[in-house]
């Protein structure tokens, strides 16, 4: 029986065997949608993608984890609320908080899950215009010292895809002030706030810089012809960044 | 029903087959269930006795217009008859299955189908539209395919009617809410506002799936002893509506509980169902599979059985219920969403159950396949249905409904736009022409659809090579080779109203042209025929003519209809909607990297207009904006469409063009503005030469809707080659301008200059103005 | 300031996907006492000043016509809460 | 069967986009009595049998840990309703 299509068709030989040694886990929950895209992005960056299942109880020796976008559990109750309790999430939270500082990237629904799991502060509520919004979005890289942003220049503008219904980032003023003061705002929306997020925040990191969450989708901007404006590949930097981190290059 | 005669029936308080045999004279609510006297008589004849309540439920839903195609069947035959061997060569599965399957090459196949969910959307726009997406996607899964994209052709009432906002907000949010949650990119559709759809909005939904040839699954139950399983959501009273007429079947005097008239979709359950089915297919764990749509278990059991070895035995009390008060007949009729039925061989039961456990999907084993030729359904061991499944699924009534060309048709066709009162102040000065262009691109039907499409995820999956606002949606299937497909849907209800035969052909021509414009080779057709009541001879004539026209045109274009859907009774009182045959064309790319976007991007490229322009203002957007509908739609020239298509496909494959946009509603004026706004790139255009060549004034050149035309942009280095190709094929072309990236304007030389900003404000402002 | 609370639930016969997902997740967290969950909406309408009979009637009408979708939802409660 | 109702509202300091949209729309339909609207969630948990103190405690805990997100929401009410 052949593989069903669109599950990683292309077998790109990794350019650098050092990179292929890096194992990046991509978690699938029931209702996850962008897992295949995240796997593709990992592969295009040269690393090895490892598919993880929410009900797994072990992390399969991965060097980093991506929690991809989608509507896990249908976004029912609150986006990310039910997924947060998955067995694998406990492992991820522990590993992220451990001395090993497992790099974790939460994209969109993944970001929502990370906030529900209290790995990142704040939360997301419905977009201020109340609609699902899919558009090409310019972001400013505010912090290029994290595990997932070090391949970018500080202050660089990148265009990636924004698509969500509950994307309005909120936190109390104290938390927001602290995020700003400690430089933990990783990305800010440029060219108009698309959803009412406080202080135009599109993504944040934890203090150690190993956990990053953002609403827009870098994994949809890794292949010319299939990303923003059908040419953009600005999202590749995320996946290159974590390789830098893992290989000790940065 | 009053008396229960047999002991067993008494025991279970149920109308059994045994009971039916000895109580022939019981009154049955067949009329309330929508059956006609002759149809009920047929049921009795087929069975040789009166039906049980459960049997009556099955026949009534399966013999409905929606499931049996009784009014259209005699005409739809033409889609199967007017096909050549050549047209069949890539058709792996044709009409009759859940969806047709077309060979894409390299062992890949693609399946697509379009369906309507019109009246549910009128009642409850969000859920109606959402479950429309859900239903068509399950059709695609049941072929063994992974769904990869959806599209949504829509028709709503007048843009400024208060009820339109309700339908618009709900339907668009529902399509997005459901489709986005499934991880299926929405890659195109249509949006037309017209008061004829006020009481009957059209929500058509199209889904496309891909698979390897060996994975194709058909809906049949073969292999005596194989098990029948129902899985997915629990069965509720959905779609039965109001207090059930069938409550009497239990001979129970207590008041029937409420049955919901609307179905609520659970996109999360469907997403899980998709993944779960794909895992079943991958492990070859099912012998046959069928989605549950209209007519639910009635349809699934009778179709699976009659397409297989012909027999099946099912215990209905095994069905997992959401509402424990449902009667057997209601269970058989329920249209609860997100359910599938499969046939599993005994050795695969454990593996099947493991997949269900993994995805936390509920399932229940209902029975098994037999070779008796009978579909037997039991309730707690007592037989309540004993039928030949073919008589339920395939041998429904077929009607030759009377039809005749309406008396008013001649007068309508004689009333041309040119010279009408509505044409009194035809724009002619440069100022008027510019104002007309701005008015056109801001009009409800020609304005930007971003307000809608921004609510749809077009990126998920990472294989979307083109989507709105380009002419066709394009999806990559194979990441290594770039093999992929394009799909476009089109229909023009006004054209079809003026001339149903040619109107349907024009819908096909436009979808074909859109696919070719993207660079893909058209291969297959699916259609959704939205019409009024077939009992009205005028409407029946429109339907007959449209089917005849469409099937004739498919022959000429050499692409077969592989599936579709008929939606009748779309009318308010005695006023039908415009006949609206929505036609979807699927095309193939060897490598989607060669796709052609619709907008200009490179400075200095030459802009060519392919084709010639005649006075085709009847039925046009311009006439519509002026409140005129009459005359004859643009002439159909399918040979011309084929030639144009070949040019666009070759030019794309050989890298001769960098953009292409077909001319359709709104004519050249709309195409120029859309090409400029696509990537915010202006152009200088001169129209005098073409206008002189074609013998039309500039207004007609800009606003006429003559078919078989497109504009392309050609890199300087390719101009000679491109010219030579068109000349060799004897296809009219004219160099009408140059892309001007710095200009930030559409400069129609000698007439007017429209800044891109001013065009954009006009084009993009309309939907937000009405819908917020 | 006084508020009027309006509670809206899906009609009992209508599928509630959210409630279904929640009831499936509760036992995994050790909450085993609940056999079904349904999720509805609660609206709090603030009134400046006193809640007259007329204002309450307005709230009831708003609940039926706008805050709920009568095709699939029921207004199960309209009441005044003081602050 | 008895049910336990759990009401959850966004914290007062968080702007509620849905409530805002509703309060904007109400006057257009002639409902002018309301100066603010907030939309929250109402959960109905069905209990098979009697609602013991222990079950009520379970409901309270589920309300705090899962049915609400304490970063943005408050549980405003947990109560038993009989049928
Ligand atoms: N309801 C919709 N859903 C998705 N895409 C839509 C919808 N309505 C219009 N579009 C897209 O907007 C673009 C313009 O539509 P239209 O003018 O009808 O195209 P064409 O004339 O090429 O058939 C197309 O890309 C079409 O697919
Ligand atoms: Mg087009």
């Amino acid at each position: 029986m052949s593989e069903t299509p669109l599950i990683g068709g292309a077998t790109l030989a990794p350019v650098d065997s050092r990179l292929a040694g890096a194992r990046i886990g991509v978690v699938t929950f029931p209702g996850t949608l962008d897992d295949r895209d995240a796997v593709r992005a990992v592969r295009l960056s040269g690393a090895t993608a490892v598919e993880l299942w929410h009900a797994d109880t072990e992390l399969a020796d991965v060097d980093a984890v991506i929690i991809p976008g989608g509507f896990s559990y249908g976004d029912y109750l609150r986006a990310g609320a039910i997924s947060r309790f998955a067995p694998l999430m406990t492992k991820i939270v522990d590993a992220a908080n451990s001395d090993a500082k497992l790099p974790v990237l939460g994209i969109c629904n993944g970001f929502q899950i990370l906030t529900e799991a209290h790995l990142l502060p704040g939360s997301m509520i419905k977009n201020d215009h109340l609609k699902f919004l899919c558009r090409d979005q310019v972001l400013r890289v505010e912090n290029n010292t994290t595990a997932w942003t070090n391949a970018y220049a500080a202050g660089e503008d990148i265009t990636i895809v924004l698509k969500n219904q509950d994307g309005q980032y909120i936190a109390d003023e104290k938390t927001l002030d602290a995020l700003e003061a400690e430089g933990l705002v990783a990305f800010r929306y440029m060219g108009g706030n698309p959803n009412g997020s406080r202080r135009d925040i599109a993504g944040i990191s934890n203090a150690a810089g190993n956990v990053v969450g953002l609403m827009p989708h870098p994994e949809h901007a890794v292949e010319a012809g299939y990303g923003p404006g059908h040419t953009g590949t600005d999202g590749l930097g995320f996946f290159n960044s974590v390789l830098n981190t893992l290989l000790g290059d940065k | 029903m009053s008396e229960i005669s047999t002991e067993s029936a008494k025991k279970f308080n149920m109308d059994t087959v045994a009971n039916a045999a000895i109580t022939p004279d019981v009154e049955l609510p067949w009329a309330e269930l929508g059956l006609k006297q002759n149809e009920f008589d047929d049921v009795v004849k087929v069975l040789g006795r009166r039906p049980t309540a459960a049997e009556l439920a099955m026949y009534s839903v399966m013999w409905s217009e929606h499931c049996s195609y009784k009014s259209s069947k005699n005409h739809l035959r033409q889609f199967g008859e007017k096909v050549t061997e050549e047209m069949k060569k890539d058709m792996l599965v044709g009409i009759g299955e859940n969806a047709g399957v077309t060979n894409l090459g390299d062992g890949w196949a693609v399946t697509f189908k379009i369906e309507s969910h019109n009246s549910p959307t009128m009642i409850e726009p969000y859920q109606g539209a959402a479950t429309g997406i859900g239903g068509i996607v399950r059709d695609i899964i049941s072929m063994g395919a992974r769904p990869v994209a959806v599209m949504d052709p829509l028709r709503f009432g007048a843009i400024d009617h208060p009820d339109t906002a309700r339908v618009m907000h709900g339907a668009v949010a529902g399509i997005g809410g459901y489709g986005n949650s499934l991880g299926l990119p929405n890659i195109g559709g249509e949006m037309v506002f017209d008061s004829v759809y006020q009481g009957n909005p059209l929500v058509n939904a199209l889904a496309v799936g891909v698979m390897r040839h060996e994975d194709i699954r058909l809906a049949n139950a073969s292999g005596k002893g194989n098990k029948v399983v129902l899985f997915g959501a629990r069965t509720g009273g959905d779609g039965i509506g109001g207090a059930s007429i069938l409550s009497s079947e239990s001979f129970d005097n207590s008041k029937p509980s409420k049955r919901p008239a609307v179905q609520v979709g659970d996109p999360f359950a469907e997403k899980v169902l998709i993944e779960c089915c794909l895992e079943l297919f991958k492990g070859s764990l099912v012998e046959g599979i069928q989605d549950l749509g209209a007519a639910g278990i009635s349809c699934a059991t009778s179709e699976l059985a009659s397409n297989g070895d012909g027999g099946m035995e099912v215990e209905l009390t095994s069905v997992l219920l959401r509402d424990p008060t449902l009667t057997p007949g209601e269970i058989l009729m329920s249209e609860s969403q997100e359910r599938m039925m499969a046939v599993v061989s005994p050795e695969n039961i454990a593996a099947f159950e493991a997949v269900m456990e993994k995805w936390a999907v509920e399932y229940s084993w209902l029975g098994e396949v037999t070779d008796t030729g009978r579909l037997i359904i039991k309730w707690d061991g007592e037989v309540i249905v004993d039928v030949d499944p073919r008589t339920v699924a395939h041998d429904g009534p077929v009607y030759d409904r009377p039809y005749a060309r309406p008396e008013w048709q001649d007068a309508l066709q004689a009333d041309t736009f040119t010279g009408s009162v509505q044409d009194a102040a035809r724009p002619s000065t440069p100022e008027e022409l510019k104002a007309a262009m701005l008015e056109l691109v801001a009009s409800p039907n020609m304005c930007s659809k971003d307000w809608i499409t921004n609510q749809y995820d077009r990126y998920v999956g990472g294989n979307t090579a083109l989507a709105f606002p380009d002419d066709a949606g394009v999806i990559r299937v194979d990441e290594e080779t770039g093999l992929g497909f394009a799909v476009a849907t089109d229909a023009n209800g006004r054209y079809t109203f003026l001339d149903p035969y040619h109107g349907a052909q024009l819908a096909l021509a436009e979808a074909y042209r859109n696919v070719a414009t993207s660079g893909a080779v058209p291969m297959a057709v699916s259609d959704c025929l939205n019409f009024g009541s077939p009992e009205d001879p005028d409407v029946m004539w429109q339907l007959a003519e449209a089917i005849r026209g469409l099937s004739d045109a498919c022959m000429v274009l050499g692409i077969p209809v592989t599936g579709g859907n008929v939606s009748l009774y779309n009318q308010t009182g005695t006023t039908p909607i415009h006949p609206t045959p929505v036609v979807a064309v699927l095309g193939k790319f060897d490598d989607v990297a060669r796709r052609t976007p619709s907008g200009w991007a490179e400075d200095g490229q030459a802009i060519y207009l392919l084709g010639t322009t005649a006075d085709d203002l009847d039925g046009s957007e311009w006439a519509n904006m002026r409140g005129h509908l009459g005359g004859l739609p643009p002439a159909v020239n399918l040979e011309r469409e084929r030639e144009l298509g070949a040019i666009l496909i070759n030019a794309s494959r050989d890298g001769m063009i960098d953009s292409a946009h077909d001319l359709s509603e709104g004519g050249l004026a709309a195409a120029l503005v859309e090409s400029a706004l696509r990537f915010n790139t202006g152009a200088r255009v001169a129209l005098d030469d073409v206008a002189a060549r074609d013998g039309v004034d500039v207004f007609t050149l800009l606003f006429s809707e003559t078919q078989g035309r497109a504009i392309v942009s050609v890199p300087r280095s390719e101009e000679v080659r491109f010219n030579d190709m068109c000349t060799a094929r004897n296809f009219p072309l004219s160099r009408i301008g140059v892309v001007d990236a710095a200009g930030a304007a559409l400069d129609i030389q000698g007439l007017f200059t429209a800044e891109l900003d001013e065009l954009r404000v006009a084009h993009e402002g309309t939907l937000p103005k009405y819908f917020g | 300031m006084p508020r009027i609370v309006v509670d809206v639930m899906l009609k009992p016969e209508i599928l509630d996907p959210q409630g279904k997902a929640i009831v499936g997740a509760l036992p995994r967290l050790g909450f085993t006492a609940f056999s079904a969950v349904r999720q509805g909406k609660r609206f709090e309408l603030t009134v400046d000043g006193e809640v007259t009979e007329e204002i309450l009637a307005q709230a009831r009408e708003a609940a039926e016509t706008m805050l709920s979708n009568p095709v699939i939802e029921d207004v199960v409660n309209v009441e005044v809460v003081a602050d």
Side-chain angles (χ1 to χ4, degrees), chain A, chain B, chain C:
Chain A
M1 176 72 36
S2 55
E3 183 63 289
T4 17
L6 309 174
I7 312 181
T11 45
L12 295 178
V15 230
D16 180 341
S17 59
R18 279 192 323 154
L19 299 179
R23 291 164 55 80
I24 317 285
V26 175
V27 188
T28 299
F29 296 88
T32 295
L33 306 179
D34 301 295
D35 43 352
R36 294 185 183 87
D37 305 76
V39 164
R40 183 191 291 111
V42 167
R43 205 177 58 222
L44 290 172
S45 73
T48 299
V50 180
E51 292 176 26
L52 300 174
W53 178 239
H54 73 114
D56 291 348
T57 47
E58 290 307 329
L59 271 175
D61 286 328
V62 295
D63 303 303
V65 166
I66 298 172
I67 307 180
F71 290 83
S72 62
Y73 290 99
D75 265 7
Y76 297 156
L77 183 56
R78 295 178 307 280
I82 298 180
S83 303
R84 166 253 162 135
F85 295 105
L88 195 67
M89 278 311 296
T90 319
K91 291 280 164 189
I92 291 172
V93 171
D94 290 349
N97 287 331
S98 75
D99 292 343
K101 294 202 178 71
L102 181 79
V104 177
L105 174 66
I107 302 169
C108 194
N109 194 230
F111 184 20
Q112 292 159 337
I113 294 170
L114 292 181
T115 60
E116 284 280 337
H118 309 305
L119 262 183
L120 291 172
S123 187
M124 255 68 63
I125 59 172
K126 225 169 250 328
N127 294 337
D128 57 359
H129 47 77
L130 301 178
K131 293 193 286 287
F132 185 96
L133 174 64
C134 174
R135 78 172 197 198
D136 300 349
Q137 177 67 48
V138 181
L139 301 183
R140 173 145 308 155
V141 181
E142 296 278 16
N143 176 352
N144 71 336
T145 65
T146 77
W148 297 93
T149 59
N150 59 54
Y152 294 109
E156 185 176 343
D157 283 353
I158 60 173
T159 303
I160 62 178
V161 171
L162 178 77
K163 44 166 202 160
N164 60 56
Q165 171 105 41
D166 297 86
Q168 180 174 182
Y169 181 74
I170 55 167
D172 58 39
E173 289 301 312
K174 216 175 89 207
T175 306
L176 293 169
D177 289 342
L179 284 171
E180 301 274 10
E182 294 167 40
L184 302 182
V185 174
F187 302 97
R188 246 186 265 272
Y189 294 114
M190 303 300 291
N193 188 327
N195 49 30
S197 289
R198 300 295 174 278
R199 305 193 191 183
D200 298 338
I201 291 173
I204 56 176
S205 82
N206 65 351
N210 61 316
V211 180
V212 169
L214 79 165
M215 286 314 293
H217 291 257
E219 83 285 13
H220 286 312
V222 294
E223 230 188 328
Y226 301 90
H230 290 294
T231 51
T233 56
D234 285 356
L236 267 178
F238 282 77
F239 309 94
N240 295 333
S241 294
V242 75
L243 290 176
N244 291 338
T245 306
L246 295 175
L247 298 173
D249 291 355
K250 287 230 180 165
Chain B
M1 277 184 263
S2 51
E3 27 170 349
I4 312 152
S5 300
T6 65
E7 275 313 302
S8 60
K10 263 185 202 135
K11 181 172 132 215
F12 297 105
N13 219 11
M14 199 60 54
D15 189 20
T16 62
V17 168
N19 187 48
I22 57 170
T23 56
D25 300 327
V26 165
E27 285 288 316
L28 291 170
W30 49 266
E32 291 93 316
L33 288 168
L35 286 174
K36 296 283 189 308
Q37 176 79 57
N38 62 310
E39 295 171 344
F40 178 69
D41 293 346
D42 276 353
V43 172
V44 174
K45 205 159 93 208
V46 159
L47 292 174
R49 58 169 163 78
R50 76 153 171 95
T52 64
E55 287 167 341
L56 182 66
M58 289 185 84
Y59 281 103
S60 70
V61 287
M62 290 300 289
W63 286 14
S64 68
E65 184 66 57
H66 183 70
C67 295
S68 72
Y69 293 91
K70 55 191 168 193
S71 300
S72 53
K73 215 172 200 167
N74 279 342
H75 298 275
L76 292 174
R77 286 209 177 94
Q78 296 170 72
F79 290 139
E81 288 161 5
K82 295 183 194 161
V83 271
T84 60
E85 283 310 311
E86 174 67 14
M87 284 161 77
K88 281 196 217 151
K89 79 179 190 320
D90 287 314
M91 210 198 306
L92 300 176
V93 175
I95 296 180
E97 283 292 336
N98 286 311
V101 181
T102 303
N103 183 9
L104 257 197
D106 293 350
W108 290 104
V110 56
T111 175
F112 78 131
K113 190 178 176 193
I114 182 165
E115 246 178 28
S116 64
H117 231 217
N118 303 339
S119 61
T121 302
M122 181 63 194
I123 299 166
E124 176 18 53
Y126 185 100
Q127 297 297 344
T131 50
I133 295 285
I136 191 68
V137 166
R138 283 193 302 281
D139 264 321
I140 294 302
I141 311 175
S142 68
M143 296 308 297
R146 167 176 279 281
V148 294
V150 296
M151 297 174 92
D152 61 327
L154 308 174
R155 302 286 183 286
F156 296 154
I159 196 168
D160 53 0
H161 188 287
D163 195 47
T164 301
R166 173 189 76 98
V167 178
M168 172 81 163
H169 276 276
V172 171
I175 291 162
Y178 205 104
N180 294 340
S181 301
L182 297 184
L184 298 179
N186 186 315
I187 57 173
E190 298 165 71
M191 180 67 249
V192 174
F193 297 97
D194 192 313
S195 55
V196 294
Y197 303 106
Q198 202 66 58
N200 289 86
L202 303 185
V203 169
N204 291 180
L206 175 146
V208 201
V210 295
M211 66 197 115
R212 302 292 300 170
H213 286 185
E214 60 272 25
D215 294 344
I216 297 173
R217 289 284 177 293
L218 300 180
N220 60 51
S222 311
K224 179 169 182 261
N226 284 341
K227 303 295 175 200
V228 178
V229 66
L230 181 65
F231 61 109
R234 287 181 171 233
T235 300
D238 308 76
I240 300 171
S244 171
I245 333 160
L246 280 172
S247 58
S248 56
E249 76 187 290
S250 62
F251 307 106
D252 179 346
N253 288 331
S254 69
K255 255 178 69 200
S257 52
K258 287 218 181 104
R259 304 287 182 245
V262 288
Q263 306 142 42
V264 169
D266 181 351
F268 168 63
E270 177 119 329
K271 167 65 180 168
V272 168
L273 207 52
I274 295 175
E275 297 301 330
C276 173
C277 286
L278 291 171
E279 218 165 298
L280 294 175
F281 299 151
K282 206 160 135 186
S284 290
L285 300 179
V286 296
E287 309 304 312
I289 187 161
Q290 168 78 308
D291 60 301
L292 277 78
I297 297 177
S298 295
C299 179
T301 51
S302 61
E303 287 196 350
L304 279 168
S306 60
N307 296 342
D309 293 351
M312 188 187 280
E313 203 171 305
V314 163
E315 171 58 54
L316 213 54
T317 51
S318 301
V319 173
L320 299 175
L321 299 180
R322 200 174 80 229
D323 174 354
T325 68
L326 292 182
T327 65
E330 289 177 325
I331 295 171
L332 288 169
M333 292 174 90
S334 162
E335 296 186 353
S336 287
Q337 303 290 298
E338 293 98 20
R339 298 179 298 162
M340 301 288 284
M341 185 174 280
V343 175
V344 180
S345 69
E347 64 269 23
N348 285 326
I349 289 177
F352 179 93
E353 292 185 342
V355 174
M356 296 298 123
E357 309 295 337
K358 173 180 171 189
W359 290 98
V361 169
E362 288 193 300
Y363 61 93
S364 63
W365 300 98
L366 298 189
E368 61 182 45
V369 177
T370 65
D371 57 5
T372 59
R374 306 296 291 179
L375 170 61
I376 309 268
I377 296 178
K378 293 181 176 171
W379 183 263
D380 206 1
E382 298 298 322
V383 178
I384 56 169
V385 172
D386 180 353
V387 297
D388 173 350
R390 277 205 67 82
T391 64
V392 181
H394 299 295
D395 301 340
V398 177
Y399 293 125
D400 247 327
R401 302 249 188 230
Y403 60 89
R405 189 172 201 271
E407 283 166 20
W408 40 263
Q409 200 75 32
D410 285 340
L412 179 72
Q413 293 185 345
D415 173 23
T416 60
F417 178 69
T418 301
S420 67
V421 283
Q422 291 91 341
D423 187 30
R426 183 180 286 204
S428 61
T429 68
E431 296 72 34
E432 287 167 352
L433 287 166
K434 178 177 175 180
M437 180 185 262
L438 284 164
E439 186 190 339
L440 177 82
V441 300
S443 69
N445 294 338
M446 299 311 303
C447 68
S448 164
K449 305 304 183 305
D450 285 2
W451 186 92
I452 298 170
T453 56
N454 284 348
Q455 298 186 51
Y456 301 152
D457 182 350
R458 61 182 174 280
Y459 287 111
V460 65
N463 289 300
T464 307
L466 286 183
F468 33 75
D470 289 316
D471 288 301
V474 175
I475 295 284
R476 172 177 64 179
V477 171
D478 188 323
E479 291 186 31
E480 245 169 300
T481 61
L483 184 80
F485 65 79
V487 193
T489 76
D490 282 292
N492 187 314
R494 295 190 309 270
Y495 292 173
T496 315
F497 179 62
L498 297 179
D499 179 346
Y501 179 86
H502 291 107
Q505 298 194 327
L506 289 165
L508 174 69
E510 186 180 349
Y512 179 96
R513 197 184 323 127
N514 276 324
V515 163
T517 303
S518 77
V521 182
M523 293 191 85
V525 177
S526 180
D527 63 294
C528 188
L529 305 173
N530 305 277
F531 286 75
S533 165
E535 293 163 43
D536 174 345
D538 292 358
V539 171
M540 198 56 220
W541 175 78
Q542 293 173 331
L543 178 65
E545 283 294 282
I547 294 173
R548 192 171 66 86
L550 188 55
S551 52
D552 284 348
C554 285
M555 276 286 265
V556 180
L557 291 177
I559 48 176
V561 173
T562 62
N565 174 242
V566 180
S567 170
L568 302 179
Y569 298 98
N570 292 290
Q571 57 182 54
T572 307
T574 55
T575 312
I577 60 165
H578 284 337
T580 312
V582 174
V583 179
V585 170
L586 175 107
K588 165 190 162 159
F589 276 101
D590 289 328
D591 183 358
V592 297
R594 295 253 63 109
R595 73 200 181 274
T596 313
S598 63
W600 305 318
E602 295 296 326
D603 191 49
Q605 292 193 345
I607 299 168
Y608 284 83
L609 171 63
L610 293 163
T612 56
T613 306
D615 179 349
D616 285 311
L617 288 163
D618 291 349
S620 67
E621 255 336 305
W622 181 263
N624 182 44
M625 284 158 54
R626 289 291 170 266
H628 183 274
L629 179 54
L632 287 172
V636 180
N637 185 340
L638 296 167
E639 282 308 331
R640 176 61 70 86
E641 299 291 352
R642 261 187 110 129
E643 290 163 14
L644 175 66
I647 286 172
L648 291 166
I649 295 160
N650 283 338
S652 137
R653 198 174 44 222
D654 295 350
M656 284 185 256
I657 55 177
D658 274 5
S659 81
H661 194 21
D662 79 308
L663 270 55
S664 54
E665 284 86 0
L668 181 61
L672 289 171
V673 174
E674 288 163 5
S675 298
L677 293 182
R678 180 75 182 91
F679 300 117
N680 211 30
T681 305
R684 292 188 306 277
V685 173
L687 297 177
D688 292 347
D689 290 352
V690 219
R693 180 197 69 188
D694 294 347
V696 293
D697 57 31
V698 178
F699 172 83
T700 305
L701 182 60
L702 281 170
F703 295 92
S704 163
E705 297 183 1
T706 308
Q707 302 290 297
R709 298 181 300 162
I711 52 174
V712 296
S713 72
V714 183
R716 289 282 157 109
S717 58
E718 299 298 329
E719 275 197 78
V720 173
R721 209 152 63 106
F722 183 72
N723 264 292
D724 288 350
M725 176 178 67
C726 294
T727 315
R729 290 165 182 265
N730 223 338
F731 201 91
L733 88 166
S734 171
R735 195 181 197 275
I736 59 166
V738 177
V739 177
D740 178 8
L746 190 57
D747 179 9
I748 312 286
Q749 294 189 330
L751 283 176
F752 61 84
T753 300
E755 303 296 328
L756 295 189
D757 284 347
E758 118 190 78
L759 290 168
R760 184 176 301 284
V761 167
H763 192 49
E764 294 178 358
T766 306
L767 294 186
K769 182 176 122 204
Y770 285 99
F771 304 111
Chain C
M1 262 171 311
R3 282 162 300 154
I4 300 176
V5 169
V6 174
D7 289 313
V8 173
M9 298 297 292
L10 280 171
K11 289 183 194 291
E13 67 272 18
I14 295 269
L15 173 75
D16 173 13
Q18 305 212 68
K20 201 175 102 193
I22 296 167
V23 81
L26 282 169
R28 277 181 265 137
L29 302 177
F31 303 117
T32 50
F34 313 107
S35 61
V37 177
R38 294 185 69 83
Q39 177 173 337
K41 294 173 190 157
R42 174 188 168 96
F43 300 92
E44 295 189 359
L45 316 179
T46 305
V47 178
D48 290 339
E50 209 194 327
V51 181
T52 59
E53 254 319 305
E54 196 198 311
I55 289 182
L56 199 57
Q58 229 185 70
R60 284 209 192 88
E61 202 192 323
E64 296 292 344
T65 55
M66 190 187 144
L67 300 177
S68 71
N69 173 354
V71 180
I72 53 173
E73 292 171 325
D74 290 327
V75 177
V76 296
N77 184 37
V78 179
E79 72 181 325
V80 184
V81 292
D83 237 13

